[in-house]
Amino acid sequence: MRFCPKCGTLMVPAKGKNGRQVLRCPKCGYEEEVDAKAKSSYVQTKEIGEDKHRKIAVVEEEKDNLSEEEKEMIEDYQKQLLENLYEDERGGESED
């Protein structure tokens, strides 16, 4: 771990302006290039046992048995859901 020489905050890995890995202070913005030793100290790996994996059930409704109105309603709902997700990823920015 490296601490910022200006303010003492823990420095975190980030991409520099030239596209290379740097250590950046999240508080004051101080940056320094990452050497191989520092880079390896920021890598953490952990194996997860099979019993710890989360399983996700995927359920899809059969659209063949639905009326055209119900199909349109589901498609509209899916579009709105995706728009909301994209908006959340952009930090609440609106496309308008």
Side-chain angles (χ1 to χ4, degrees):
M1 288 192 297
R2 308 266 307 191
F3 293 92
C4 178
K6 291 184 175 182
C7 67
T9 303
L10 178 67
M11 297 181 69
V12 295
K15 287 240 187 233
K17 293 176 184 172
N18 58 3
R20 299 180 73 187
Q21 271 306 107
V22 296
L23 291 176
R24 180 179 295 138
C25 175
K27 187 173 182 180
C28 72
Y30 173 82
E31 289 184 0
E32 65 182 46
E33 295 241 355
V34 178
D35 60 2
K37 185 177 180 182
K39 196 173 193 175
S40 66
S41 69
Y42 280 89
V43 176
Q44 180 180 5
T45 58
K46 182 177 180 181
E47 282 194 36
I48 299 174
E50 191 64 37
D51 59 324
K52 301 274 184 178
H53 286 240
R54 293 186 183 182
K55 297 190 180 359
I56 299 172
V58 178
V59 179
E60 189 171 316
E61 188 173 349
E62 289 186 25
K63 293 182 180 179
D64 296 340
N65 299 334
L66 300 176
S67 69
E68 288 300 317
E69 185 178 315
E70 290 171 320
K71 288 179 186 179
E72 288 179 19
M73 195 169 74
I74 289 172
E75 287 177 13
D76 289 343
Y77 176 74
Q78 289 171 337
K79 286 178 187 175
Q80 184 63 44
L81 179 64
L82 286 174
E83 287 175 12
N84 290 345
L85 288 172
Y86 292 141
E87 188 175 315
D88 287 346
E89 286 177 358
R90 289 192 306 266
E93 297 174 7
S94 175
E95 288 185 2
D96 299 338

